[in-house]
Amino acid sequence: MISDIVIVRHPVSMCVPVNHQVTLRVQAEGSNILSYQWFTEGVKEVCGGTQAELTFRAKKTQLFVCRVNDPFCNYVFTEWVKVKVLDIDKSGLPVDWQGEPHIAINPKSQTVRCGAEFTLRCAAFGIPAPQYQWYRNGLLIKDHKSDTLQIDCAIADNAGSYLCSVSNVLEEKWSEPADIDVVQRDQLPPPAPTATDKVALLIGNLNYFNHPPLMAPIMDVHELANLLQQLGFRVVSLLDLTRGEMLAAIDKFIQLLDRGVYGLFYYAGHGYEHAGKNYLVSVDAPQPYRTENCVCVQKIMLRMQERLTALSVVLLDTCRKWYNQDCIPSAIMPLKPRGNTVYGYATCEDAEAFEVQDGGKSTGIFTKYLNRHILQPEKITHVLEKVSEDLGRDPLVTGKQAVEIKHTLKEPRSLADQVKSAGHTKELHLRDYSWRQANEIPRKKRLVFLCGVEVEVSFSALFSNVMEAFATIKTLGTQTEDCTVSLRSIPAMEDIFSRSGRSEEMDSLLLQSTDNPDCILRLCSLQKLKESMIIKVDLHYTHKDSRLRQTESQKVDIGMPLVSSCKLYRRNEAAMDKTQDVCAQSMDVSNSKRRLHQTLAGQCRPFTRKAECATKAAITRSNEPEENDETELQHLNL
């Protein structure tokens, strides 16, 4: 008889984060052996669900029920239960969570106008599923017992402080208060500016082929990239680019911009100013260099504006020395009055920018103070003003370097503004794919050698074109001792940061904390990679019986990691071919101008000065850029 089977304990509903492992339990009693079968909505049998406990990883919200039966076809069903799955932040969920209510989304304070609707939401994980009760000004609101409180037509009486009580049989918790301010239409403050996305390209050039090397860009780019990521920017950070690679990276950067996006371009390295334009010196620029060997900043800004960005920011930690004394102060204005453009210069016109030793590390003075303030949720021009004030008080550069800010901001835009992508999902998806392509690192690999030794190979991105590979011996073989491991890449990628004369601070910066790897291989200039990279792992050990030193090797194909998948070299090769053609056409003109330039070079040369440390005088180094008529190069891009 059916009455012979009694459900002693029904399963309980619950609310859990996505991919959380959950267990549904039923307890039943009967006079015979009992069998179980779990079902989901639509009366679909759960594969393998034939026990009193059903354990699985929750992927989506579902309903479940269990049938309990005996050998005589008697059966009874439990109550239906819901496993609600929330795909939201679970970072604060305790590791040993036992099911007590954990509030993942708190209601937000709002200012609404009379007659408008507003919604407050409180979402919590819990096993059993938590119950909700809303309060206003400490008083219970009847009939509001769900995770969402919605008022269709706001009136003055709806103003106040709202709280939500979240509870189950284990515990009761309270949400953070949310203040609702109901105002008349003309009292409503303008909405805070938002971005549909945030994208940043950071370039640091330091290892120049024909010009004095720099120290600061590596530290400056590394720290600024981390801070911008905290602000929600998709960051691509690159070191030591040729002109063609710079142009290719800028092309990719521009493609990531779109209507409503915040775009930020940062450069640290050699630079100069000519005819009202700023030029960035690539690592392969010849000596002397000309404008066609460099990258024009104002053309970058123009391309950013053409993408209808909500905010375009260019930050330059570089010198702005003029070619000659006849230059007049420039009037660098954004092309077309679209507004919301910001230039932040490390120094004013015809002046130098300095890098110093600060606490054992090299840093550009401008970026040093920029990093102190950039996380502040203030208008970007106000942040730069604070940078200017701090730099102005620095005794090392008093009277030598002063920040200059130029902008056309028409709204109080901040780098800390929130990202709201509603209505731009397609563009956001494409942008997310392109950005991930430039930042994808290989997965860990576990290698088992014939001698029984297991080696784990893992990877870490330091910049978008600099990566480290780590080899760690995880398990020793029974017949091996004195095991060591070494790594090589095919093709070989030069470690430019281990060259003679580089400071030890670079190694301390790039050697990230790991689980004490047995070998580290630094892979630089990944933008030059034209084929899949192979990591060769050589294991060296002594055989216990023969006492002979032996070597085993394995290869790991890691594909095209980080920015190498973007194939920046294609633009580089095309740019080299075009530059060679243009140089051949203009050789006679250039030769005729070289003699005139040599007579003017002693008067004023663009150069970068570097303060070796805070107690030493600055050392002057000079480059000799050659004067060039830009009208000869109008058909060149950038």
Side-chain angles (χ1 to χ4, degrees):
M1 298 176 59
I2 296 179
S3 59
D4 290 339
I5 304 175
V6 178
I7 303 295
V8 177
R9 180 182 177 184
H10 290 268
V12 297
S13 296
M14 59 187 67
C15 182
V16 296
V18 65
N19 291 323
H20 187 77
Q21 181 171 296
V22 300
T23 300
L24 298 176
R25 297 180 177 87
V26 58
Q27 183 178 349
E29 296 179 353
S31 56
N32 295 284
I33 297 175
L34 300 179
S35 301
Y36 303 87
Q37 178 61 59
W38 290 88
F39 298 86
T40 62
E41 61 260 49
V43 197
K44 298 179 181 177
E45 291 187 357
V46 177
C47 183
T50 57
Q51 302 295 324
E53 291 188 355
L54 176 66
T55 300
F56 59 96
R57 289 202 173 274
K59 301 290 186 180
K60 62 180 180 178
T61 299
Q62 286 182 293
L63 297 175
F64 292 87
V65 69
C66 184
R67 184 188 66 203
V68 185
N69 58 275
D70 62 19
F72 303 104
C73 296
N74 296 318
Y75 64 88
V76 64
F77 283 93
T78 66
E79 299 173 353
W80 282 92
V81 294
K82 176 188 285 188
V83 177
K84 187 175 182 179
V85 178
L86 298 180
D87 189 3
I88 56 179
D89 180 32
K90 60 176 181 179
S91 57
L93 195 66
V95 177
D96 57 350
W97 183 57
Q98 300 298 313
E100 65 276 7
H102 174 80
I103 298 177
I105 297 179
N106 283 281
K108 302 296 182 182
S109 297
Q110 302 174 38
T111 299
V112 297
R113 63 176 182 269
C114 284
E117 68 175 30
F118 69 88
T119 301
L120 295 175
R121 186 188 178 200
C122 179
F125 304 124
I127 304 175
Q131 297 179 337
Y132 299 85
Q133 177 61 61
W134 289 90
Y135 294 78
R136 184 177 66 85
N137 296 334
L139 300 177
L140 182 145
I141 308 175
K142 295 182 178 180
D143 302 326
H144 285 283
K145 298 181 179 181
S146 68
D147 59 358
T148 301
L149 183 150
Q150 180 170 321
I151 303 298
D152 295 328
C153 183
I155 59 176
D157 289 345
N158 295 132
S161 179
Y162 288 77
L163 288 170
C164 186
S165 167
V166 183
S167 62
N168 62 13
V169 295
L170 299 177
E171 193 175 350
E172 178 183 25
K173 290 187 177 179
W174 290 83
S175 71
E176 296 177 0
D179 295 325
I180 299 297
D181 187 16
V182 181
V183 299
Q184 299 298 325
R185 181 180 297 271
D186 55 356
Q187 296 177 315
L188 194 65
T194 60
T196 58
D197 206 348
K198 300 178 185 178
V199 181
L201 172 62
L202 280 56
I203 297 178
N205 285 340
L206 57 153
N207 290 299
Y208 283 86
F209 301 166
N210 305 302
H211 306 285
L214 301 175
M215 298 294 291
I218 186 171
M219 177 67 71
D220 293 341
V221 170
H222 184 269
E223 292 189 348
L224 183 59
N226 289 336
L227 294 172
L228 289 173
Q229 288 173 357
Q230 294 180 44
L231 290 171
F233 276 82
R234 303 176 188 271
V235 179
V236 174
S237 59
L238 301 168
L239 296 181
D240 286 347
L241 301 186
T242 64
R243 181 177 184 273
E245 291 165 353
M246 289 179 69
L247 296 179
I250 292 167
D251 286 344
K252 294 289 185 180
F253 169 62
I254 297 299
Q255 292 173 12
L256 293 176
L257 303 180
D258 208 333
R259 180 185 295 273
V261 174
Y262 284 13
L264 185 146
F265 175 80
Y266 168 88
Y267 172 82
H270 284 305
Y272 63 96
E273 191 162 304
H274 173 63
K277 293 186 176 67
N278 297 95
Y279 291 89
L280 313 179
V281 182
S282 58
V283 294
D284 63 336
Q287 174 73 288
Y289 50 73
R290 299 178 298 184
T291 52
E292 71 264 31
N293 304 131
C294 305
V295 176
C296 177
V297 173
Q298 281 65 42
K299 291 183 179 179
I300 299 175
M301 176 63 85
L302 173 61
R303 296 182 65 189
M304 294 172 69
Q305 286 184 283
E306 290 173 343
R307 301 292 290 185
L308 302 179
T309 50
L311 177 65
S312 296
V313 179
V314 171
L315 302 175
L316 302 178
D317 197 348
T318 182
C319 290
R320 296 175 64 191
K321 293 296 292 183
W322 294 337
Y323 265 178
N324 55 59
Q325 298 282 15
D326 297 330
C327 288
I328 61 174
S330 63
I332 301 176
M333 299 296 292
L335 302 178
K336 300 183 181 180
R338 291 178 178 150
N340 286 344
T341 63
V342 179
Y343 289 94
Y345 298 98
T347 191
C348 54
E349 294 183 42
D350 197 27
E352 301 154 326
F354 292 82
E355 58 180 33
V356 297
Q357 288 287 326
D358 180 28
K361 65 182 181 181
S362 296
T363 180
I365 294 182
F366 169 73
T367 306
K368 167 186 173 181
Y369 294 118
L370 174 66
N371 289 345
R372 287 187 183 181
H373 298 287
I374 199 166
L375 293 180
Q376 297 180 9
E378 297 185 25
K379 189 176 178 180
I380 176 59
T381 50
H382 292 172
V383 170
L384 292 175
E385 287 169 359
K386 291 184 177 181
V387 175
S388 177
E389 293 168 2
D390 282 356
L391 190 145
R393 290 188 289 265
D394 193 313
L396 183 62
V397 292
T398 300
K400 301 175 184 177
Q401 180 176 344
V403 172
E404 185 171 346
I405 307 166
K406 297 183 179 182
H407 72 92
T408 60
L409 275 186
K410 55 185 180 182
E411 299 168 313
R413 298 276 176 175
S414 164
L415 297 182
D417 289 342
Q418 291 186 351
V419 173
K420 293 188 177 180
S421 58
H424 300 267
T425 54
K426 180 180 179 181
E427 294 84 355
L428 183 63
H429 174 75
L430 295 175
R431 192 158 48 248
D432 183 69
Y433 172 79
S434 299
W435 175 80
R436 290 182 183 278
Q437 182 186 26
N439 289 275
E440 186 174 358
I441 61 175
R443 295 182 178 180
K444 291 182 180 180
K445 309 287 184 181
R446 182 67 71 98
L447 306 178
V448 180
F449 289 83
L450 294 176
C451 60
V453 175
E454 292 189 25
V455 175
E456 182 180 82
V457 181
S458 58
F459 305 88
S460 174
L462 306 176
F463 300 88
S464 298
N465 65 337
V466 180
M467 181 177 71
E468 284 187 340
F470 307 96
T472 306
I473 298 175
K474 291 294 187 179
T475 304
L476 295 176
T478 57
Q479 297 298 316
T480 61
E481 60 184 16
D482 300 328
C483 294
T484 61
V485 64
S486 60
L487 298 174
R488 290 181 291 164
S489 68
I490 305 173
M493 307 299 291
E494 181 185 6
D495 181 359
I496 58 177
F497 303 115
S498 294
R499 290 176 178 172
S500 175
R502 304 308 297 180
S503 88
E504 294 181 356
E505 73 182 54
M506 294 189 178
D507 285 334
S508 65
L509 167 66
L510 296 179
L511 290 175
Q512 304 294 311
S513 58
T514 62
D515 297 329
N516 297 318
D518 297 289
C519 180
I520 300 176
L521 175 65
R522 189 175 302 147
L523 304 165
C524 305
S525 301
L526 293 177
Q527 75 277 4
K528 301 183 185 300
L529 189 64
K530 298 182 180 181
E531 58 190 15
S532 291
M533 178 178 287
I534 305 296
I535 300 297
K536 186 177 181 183
V537 185
D538 294 322
L539 175 67
H540 313 279
Y541 63 92
T542 299
H543 196 279
K544 290 183 178 180
D545 294 336
S546 66
R547 309 307 301 170
L548 295 176
R549 194 69 176 166
Q550 299 186 17
T551 299
E552 293 184 24
S553 300
Q554 290 197 36
K555 294 181 178 179
V556 178
D557 188 340
I558 63 173
M560 303 279 285
L562 298 177
V563 78
S564 64
S565 62
C566 297
K567 301 180 180 179
L568 300 186
Y569 62 84
R570 290 181 176 176
R571 174 70 183 261
N572 192 23
E573 294 172 347
M576 290 177 60
D577 294 340
K578 181 177 285 190
T579 300
Q580 290 173 357
D581 294 340
V582 172
C583 289
Q585 296 171 8
S586 59
M587 185 177 299
D588 293 338
V589 177
S590 299
N591 288 335
S592 65
K593 292 188 177 183
R594 183 172 293 111
R595 291 188 295 274
L596 174 61
H597 169 69
Q598 290 172 348
T599 64
L600 298 174
Q603 301 176 13
C604 182
R605 304 173 180 175
F607 55 94
T608 298
R609 294 179 63 182
K610 179 175 69 174
E612 297 292 350
C613 65
T615 58
K616 295 182 181 180
I619 297 177
T620 301
R621 304 178 186 269
S622 63
N623 301 326
E624 299 182 2
E626 180 175 337
E627 191 72 51
N628 179 74
D629 185 355
E630 288 187 303
T631 60
E632 300 170 6
L633 305 169
Q634 289 179 350
H635 60 287
L636 280 178
N637 291 327
L638 281 180

